[in-house]
Amino acid sequence: DLAIALAMTDVKGDRSLRPSKQKPHQDYYLKIVEEKTSGIVVRGAKTHISDSPVSNELLVMPSRAMQEDDRDYAVCFAIPVNTKGITLICTEADTKEPGNYFDYPISSSVYINDALVIFDDVFVPYERIFMQKEWPFSGDAAYMFGNFHRLSAETYKAVELEILVGAAVLMARYNGLERISHIQDKLAWLVQYCEAIEILGRSACEHCVSEPELDLVYPNPMIANIAKLYFADNWHQATKYVQDIAGGIVATVPSAKDFLNPETHSILEKYFGGKSGIPTEHRLKIIKLIKDLTSTYQDVLAIHAEGSLAAQKLSIFSLADFERYEAAAKRAARIDDGTTHPLYSQLPEFPQRILE
Amino acid sequence: DLAIALAMTDVKGDRSLRPSKQKPHQDYYLKIVEEKTSGIVVRGAKTHISDSPVSNELLVMPSRAMQEDDRDYAVCFAIPVNTKGITLICTEADTKEPGNYFDYPISSSVYINDALVIFDDVFVPYERIFMQKEWPFSGDAAYMFGNFHRLSAETYKAVELEILVGAAVLMARYNGLERISHIQDKLAWLVQYCEAIEILGRSACEHCVSEPELDLVYPNPMIANIAKLYFADNWHQATKYVQDIAGGIVATVPSAKDFLNPETHSILEKYFGGKSGIPTEHRLKIIKLIKDLTSTYQDVLAIHAEGSLAAQKLSIFSLADFERYEAAAKRAARIDDGTTHPLYSQLPEFPQRILE
Amino acid sequence: DLAIALAMTDVKGDRSLRPSKQKPHQDYYLKIVEEKTSGIVVRGAKTHISDSPVSNELLVMPSRAMQEDDRDYAVCFAIPVNTKGITLICTEADTKEPGNYFDYPISSSVYINDALVIFDDVFVPYERIFMQKEWPFSGDAAYMFGNFHRLSAETYKAVELEILVGAAVLMARYNGLERISHIQDKLAWLVQYCEAIEILGRSACEHCVSEPELDLVYPNPMIANIAKLYFADNWHQATKYVQDIAGGIVATVPSAKDFLNPETHSILEKYFGGKSGIPTEHRLKIIKLIKDLTSTYQDVLAIHAEGSLAAQKLSIFSLADFERYEAAAKRAARIDDGTTHPLYSQLPEFPQRILE
Amino acid sequence: DLAIALAMTDVKGDRSLRPSKQKPHQDYYLKIVEEKTSGIVVRGAKTHISDSPVSNELLVMPSRAMQEDDRDYAVCFAIPVNTKGITLICTEADTKEPGNYFDYPISSSVYINDALVIFDDVFVPYERIFMQKEWPFSGDAAYMFGNFHRLSAETYKAVELEILVGAAVLMARYNGLERISHIQDKLAWLVQYCEAIEILGRSACEHCVSEPELDLVYPNPMIANIAKLYFADNWHQATKYVQDIAGGIVATVPSAKDFLNPETHSILEKYFGGKSGIPTEHRLKIIKLIKDLTSTYQDVLAIHAEGSLAAQKLSIFSLADFERYEAAAKRAARIDDGTTHPLYSQLPEFPQRILE
Ligand SMILES: Cc1cc2nc3c(=O)[nH]c(=O)nc-3n(C[C@H](O)[C@H](O)[C@H](O)COP(=O)(O)OP(=O)(O)OC[C@H]3O[C@@H](n4cnc5c(N)ncnc54)[C@H](O)[C@@H]3O)c2cc1C
Ligand SMILES: Cc1cc2nc3c(=O)[nH]c(=O)nc-3n(C[C@H](O)[C@H](O)[C@H](O)COP(=O)(O)OP(=O)(O)OC[C@H]3O[C@@H](n4cnc5c(N)ncnc54)[C@H](O)[C@@H]3O)c2cc1C
Ligand SMILES: Cc1cc2nc3c(=O)[nH]c(=O)nc-3n(C[C@H](O)[C@H](O)[C@H](O)COP(=O)(O)OP(=O)(O)OC[C@H]3O[C@@H](n4cnc5c(N)ncnc54)[C@H](O)[C@@H]3O)c2cc1C
Ligand SMILES: Cc1cc2nc3c(=O)[nH]c(=O)nc-3n(C[C@H](O)[C@H](O)[C@H](O)COP(=O)(O)OP(=O)(O)OC[C@H]3O[C@@H](n4cnc5c(N)ncnc54)[C@H](O)[C@@H]3O)c2cc1C
């Protein structure tokens, strides 16, 4: 099977400057440096490119709308990862000990490997180019990618949240806390958070948008953005609740090496027990799971992967049907400014009026 | 057309005591005081009963699960509002001036009239009784009512939120604020809040539950509860944003009488203007709309009508599929406690293991 | 005794335009329209001016920093309220029934009367002028006023919060809820909110700033702004908790007229009782108090009076000792960029270093 | 110099059971197992004991109030760490690479080493015992310890927050974001958070409580608890803001080994640059600092060390002067229930009254 990595995000340098205005060099966004008869030569670097070291192809596209003087940056193509001139610098793995699934159940199992992908004057043949300096379409491409990408987030996030909620409820049970009112409150909140992501993500598919002339169907952009924002905006609240339920031991738990060491095993077996009947090993494994699931890596993945919080808010703002909202408010406030709306007509006159 | 009001909520007296344990009297929950050959006699009071004074019939049902010694309180029936022995004491209307739609666009248009309905030894004939002391079913009835009632909330709330968002965006436009970053941020949040309620409410219908043997179809309980909780839990955040955008004038705006008074009209016309081109009257009407929409009445309606926040959390907690979450967490943490789950099987052995 | 009202806030028209750029007229900020030998003539309107109708004097000052072409707007003076050319248009009172302290315990007792004060070419003699077109000082004046004004907020807010917390705890007791875990949780939060405002406000005085050359002592600007922001930013959370504890009756409570009416008194006495031993009248009075304390007026007062949330954040941002924070971070990260700081010196070399 | 570690927290087993009711053994709380003529023998384990492996002495005390049948658990003493029968099992260090201050600036510098301390039938001579089965005083000891401990939190947390705010502001500057409105908003919030902890902690000292008969002075319990709660309750919000400002690179940054490797240095130097003029090394160091500062360890330290959120809320609830709040509310609501209060007397009669 072939795998493809999506290389959109540029390194960006100074965030207040457009691609062509960057200093001291203008390679902070990937760009075309030469146009040849058989193809183009590109330079720049894409960053945080998930799974790129284990993919066959890179799909490279612009990360933002461009203006005319940024036209060299409006470029989109697909290329094998092992093309000459491409270098990958890998993210440091989050686990401290590959293969140790007791202490690092998540980070030893899953290494997304979001690499920095450098294009050092890479040649791209014409048949692999989708966009070449058509700068007015750059924003559309980035935006349409977002529609799919937000949803892809929801699919894996919903599962991640099932694990997180499961860890919280098991920890509560293992510690004998499952009937405590404030714990149930927090678990209920976690459940609604997990389920809401699932419901909203599914709804983005059920209410997908189709553009028949283009033979294109895509997730409902408003719903997909709301789902992603809801997930990302509440992640830190969720980890706070889970860590609160789990107790200080998430910070201070010793290594599995101590637990499995015959000299210390029985002590830890005895003292790290929870509710009677629960094996200490299970309790420790859930503690380790919580530690791994609420790491900096997971936090930043939650906020930034598939677009930062600001990106979702911007999309929601620009997709908003403000005319409908305004018509609703004008009707309620009895403002007649000559505008009409199919859903919200003016209210009929009421029997009495103060204005007369 | 006939209208029916739903009378579920009891006055409840001391919230820490069950119906039959209340002091100094045991009429804080509606109960059967006599059983006759042709029917029953009931006593008690239902409170906050929306639209009851303008309805034909009352559908009366228990507001909670009952235990055996509360069996007299397990009663459900329908009865005309003008039956002998029924007294209604109406809620004070929220508007200061009925008919004044300028100053009170919402509260002068809509008066839900949630009355206290007193049953002073009211006779209910047998053919109108649905439950009579079958106390074990009392909780089911209350719970099933909740399923429909949460959804009914979402239907009118979604519209109310369109008005609220519309008021916010119009105020921003009228004040020349629509391009300010923090205002757009707040508007984006308000849009997602409004749309999320619509999406979730709709999803509760699309994923309704049907019980074929009972010929019964009802809104998905988990989704309906999540939608209602999301609405209620965020209402105060929403009004805060809207009031923040609108400015201090929501508190200090003079009466329409001053605006419409020929002596003062031109002064107010001049100084209460906003962005050039917007009639002052429109700006004032939106200010009044915001004032009316963010009243104490609306706040409490948001939190308590269709069940308090705690009621939704309780429902979500009791509906939660904890087994699924636990299975997901156990799989991720590699805990094998002998349980199995159709969705989450144990992870296969990885090549290396620390435990050996 | 003489009373003085502080007239700073201008009506402002289009918030995106500076005073001299407003359209269609340039009177949205108070300005000097004529300079005579014995004084000046001013035109414009100050809005939300608390207690102005019951004050002797108005202290008028600019509401923002000015640029050179706004110099006519840089004006500060004191003037009797009954000066020729001054008109006051009063805010609508919040109470529905002046004198009815049962139903409107707050709004019938306290009517701040934040009027619109119009200056229709008012003459101000020279001896009453403090600033006349010295535009570079306009921002300083507004800022220094803020220092005192934020603190004045905390003084009355701390007391208001004692009433709010008291209402919540009484309602909990009257309803038999005082031992319920989630109620105690909310009460604890309310207590810390109330006390934090008191502590921070007091600390702003204890750590006041004195400028001996100017013979000037003023509240600590950073602390006063933090206190005001903490208050304003959390008010809606507080009212949500109080309304949640109190129940739906805050929305649906009938008028005192029904309670005091001999025909209906006994019914309400019986059914609106709470915990045994608490007079129904006391319970109803607390319900009315909560209704009045969580009104739109109080919400907007909380957010906007003494400057909007954005104003506090701006002040905090501009007062922040970023050099200290940066020095702390550089030390921790071992960044040596040549800067030094009295508090945070570079860390000494550690025994081992990876860089070598 | 001698160092002492404070060993209060027990391992606790099943959180729903008191010490003497635990199953399958009753050693989840440290207890006296034998009383001899010259001293006592204790068994149990204290957990999360910061710095215990590098201290000379342990001060051991009960972690909760005890009831009569838990009297064996009411024990307090000091003992050298290297006493016979004491075993320490250390927390796993958070750093992946001791000595690597580039990648792990915090976790390689600071290793609190919160060990599990096991007492396997340890003999404690009488002269080192402060409490022996005086169970009614157990709660007081735990509570008084909290007063000092909450404050000790604020002292180091205030500094930690200076580092955190500094990292955020440097990252904003390094990325060219310092003039962006939403970034300034977040920085302002972070500044107030940092300063509020400092102000509140200082105020707890300035308003300390002294009990002259006991020759005892201690931090103001209400203020110290509010400060700790404010810190802990907002930590996750703070890390969310900092991670949001910093961007996805906090998750995906490569190791310093790649940056310092001559083969890859120049690529990373070029592409990981930010605003022109900022050395890439400085930018990378701040990224690493943020990664280290927002780790699971720091999260859990924030929430649980010096007592969980619930502990602070409980303290605040039990310290609250509810009589004062109630008196304020009764006065405002005009409730006369016969109680009096030195601060809040009944309001005088107003001219008009509805009740007559
Ligand atoms: C784990 C992980 C995996 C990822 N996988 C992929 C992938 O496979 N493919 C891919 O293409 N991308 C991927 N991404 C990248 C992701 O889309 C970006 O992280 C995200 O878009 C944010 O960009 P950034 O990291 O450059 O942060 P920045 O853009 O630097 O954002 C930091 C902060 O600055 C603000 N900001 C930045 N610029 C401006 C501006 N001009 N005006 C106002 N505010 C501004 C942002 O709102 C944010 O608050 C991944 C990211 C992560 C963390
Ligand atoms: C505007 C409006 C319209 C309404 N319309 C209708 C209607 O048409 N028909 C109808 O039947 N009902 C109606 N209701 C009633 C609504 O369902 C109730 O308000 C809601 O269920 C809360 O009940 P309550 O008002 O008695 O508050 P309470 O039950 O007193 O709740 C107050 C607080 O106490 C807590 N609490 C109460 N008891 C306990 C306990 N035992 N343990 C722990 N915590 C507890 C709650 O969680 C809450 O925080 C309406 C309410 C409003 C506000
Ligand atoms: C009850 C009450 C009593 C008061 N008493 C007094 C008094 O005695 N004396 C007195 O002088 N004042 C008084 N005020 C006025 C108070 O200081 C102002 O309400 C406050 O400064 C906000 O100004 P505004 O009401 O004009 O709102 P606006 O300035 O219109 O603010 C509305 C929103 O727009 C935003 N905004 C506005 N302009 C900009 C901009 N250029 N860029 C970005 N965002 C912007 C704000 O951040 C806010 O979110 C009182 C206000 C109230 C509510
Ligand atoms: C990094 C670190 C350093 C520390 N250093 C020290 C130290 O030097 N000395 C020392 O003595 N201690 C120290 N502590 C311990 C700290 O005081 C505890 O972590 C804290 O009191 C919480 O206890 P716990 O970890 O056992 O969590 P738990 O008590 O298990 O709490 C977990 C959750 O369960 C809830 N809960 C628990 N029991 C109940 C109950 N009966 N009813 C209702 N809810 C309940 C809590 O509210 C919380 O939400 C340290 C902790 C950490 C994380």
Side-chain angles (χ1 to χ4, degrees), chain D residues 190-206:
Chain D
L190 287 165
V191 169
Q192 71 76 25
Y193 175 48
C194 169
E195 294 297 321
I197 301 310
E198 169 91 25
I199 298 163
L200 290 167
R202 186 174 57 198
S203 194
C205 301
E206 290 167 346

Side-chain angles (χ1 to χ4, degrees), chain A residues 6 8-9 12 15 48 50 301 304 310, chain D residues 177 182 244-245 248:
Chain A
L6 203 295
M8 180 159 114
T9 309
K12 292 189 278 194
R15 268 68 176 160
H48 324 294
S50 300
L301 181 80
H304 285 292
Chain D
L177 290 165
H182 78 96
D244 184 356
I245 293 171

Side-chain angles (χ1 to χ4, degrees), chain A residues 331-334 347-352, chain B residues 51 93-113 163 289 292 298:
Chain A
R331 174 185 157 104
R334 294 172 171 74
L347 280 176
E349 287 296 311
F350 273 61
Q352 313 163 254
Chain B
D51 293 327
D94 217 33
T95 183
K96 273 189 213 162
E97 227 181 308
N100 177 349
Y101 309 120
F102 191 122
D103 287 330
Y104 308 102
I106 298 292
S107 59
S108 276
S109 305
V110 184
Y111 171 34
I112 303 184
N113 202 342
I163 300 176
L289 178 63
D292 229 18
Q298 297 294 339

Side-chain angles (χ1 to χ4, degrees), chain B residues 59-317:
Chain B
L59 176 56
V60 180
M61 52 186 300
S63 62
R64 50 171 291 165
M66 300 292 171
Q67 296 185 12
E68 183 146 20
D69 43 2
D70 300 322
R71 59 204 309 267
D72 292 344
Y73 299 88
V75 59
C76 186
F77 56 88
I79 201 158
V81 178
N82 60 355
T83 301
K84 189 162 174 294
I86 294 183
T87 308
L88 276 69
I89 309 235
C90 294
T91 294
E92 206 183 359
D94 217 33
T95 183
K96 273 189 213 162
E97 227 181 308
N100 177 349
Y101 309 120
F102 191 122
D103 287 330
Y104 308 102
I106 298 292
S107 59
S108 276
S109 305
V110 184
Y111 171 34
I112 303 184
N113 202 342
D114 321 284
L116 175 72
V117 182
I118 299 114
F119 294 80
D120 191 9
D121 292 3
V122 171
F123 176 76
V124 185
Y126 277 137
E127 67 273 15
R128 294 187 139 266
I129 300 176
F130 308 120
M131 176 186 290
Q132 182 180 347
K133 302 201 175 173
E134 291 92 350
W135 63 269
F137 300 101
S138 182
D140 290 346
Y143 166 77
M144 182 54 80
F145 169 63
N147 288 337
F148 289 94
H149 205 31
R150 306 283 193 258
L151 181 69
S152 79
E154 286 123 40
T155 55
Y156 74 85
K157 256 78 157 134
V159 176
E160 188 185 4
L161 291 184
E162 292 190 335
I163 300 176
L164 191 73
V165 181
V169 70
L170 283 174
M171 196 69 192
R173 286 206 211 294
Y174 291 178
N175 282 352
L177 290 165
E178 73 255 57
R179 287 212 206 81
I180 301 290
S181 159
H182 78 95
I183 300 287
Q184 290 194 344
D185 228 68
K186 282 161 192 147
L187 289 174
W189 187 92
L190 287 166
V191 168
Q192 71 76 24
Y193 174 48
C194 170
E195 293 298 320
I197 300 308
E198 170 91 24
I199 299 162
L200 291 167
R202 188 174 57 198
S203 194
C205 300
E206 292 167 345
H207 295 271
C208 60
V209 177
S210 77
E211 305 204 356
E213 330 80 77
L214 297 181
D215 206 18
L216 188 64
V217 173
Y218 51 92
N220 187 295
M222 178 58 100
I223 307 182
N225 273 288
I226 288 177
K228 173 60 190 12
L229 179 62
Y230 191 61
F231 170 77
D233 214 22
N234 287 284
W235 171 261
H236 285 73
Q237 180 62 63
T239 63
K240 179 179 162 187
Y241 278 163
V242 176
Q243 293 169 344
D244 184 355
I245 293 172
I249 195 166
V250 170
T252 69
V253 61
S255 159
K257 295 199 185 67
D258 290 315
F259 183 65
L260 300 170
N261 180 344
E263 264 188 68
T264 46
H265 179 78
S266 62
I267 296 179
L268 292 177
E269 181 73 38
K270 175 176 180 185
Y271 286 114
F272 278 151
K275 191 172 159 171
S276 178
I278 301 298
T280 300
E281 185 187 326
H282 295 182
R283 188 170 175 263
L284 286 177
K285 280 178 164 174
I286 289 297
I287 290 164
K288 297 285 186 175
L289 178 63
I290 291 173
K291 187 168 184 177
D292 229 18
L293 263 178
T294 62
S295 66
T296 312
Y297 182 83
Q298 297 294 339
D299 284 359
V300 177
L301 181 80
I303 295 185
H304 285 291
E306 298 94 30
S308 67
L309 293 161
Q312 276 107 63
K313 286 195 208 149
L314 227 77
S315 297
I316 290 170
F317 187 80

Side-chain angles (χ1 to χ4, degrees), chain A residues 333-348:
Chain A
R334 294 172 171 74
I335 291 173
D336 184 357
D337 63 359
T339 55
T340 59
H341 191 272
L343 280 177
Y344 288 108
S345 58
Q346 284 295 313
L347 280 176

Side-chain angles (χ1 to χ4, degrees), chain A residues 301-316:
Chain A
L301 181 80
I303 294 186
H304 285 292
E306 298 96 26
S308 66
L309 292 161
Q312 276 107 62
K313 286 196 208 149
L314 228 77
S315 298
I316 291 170

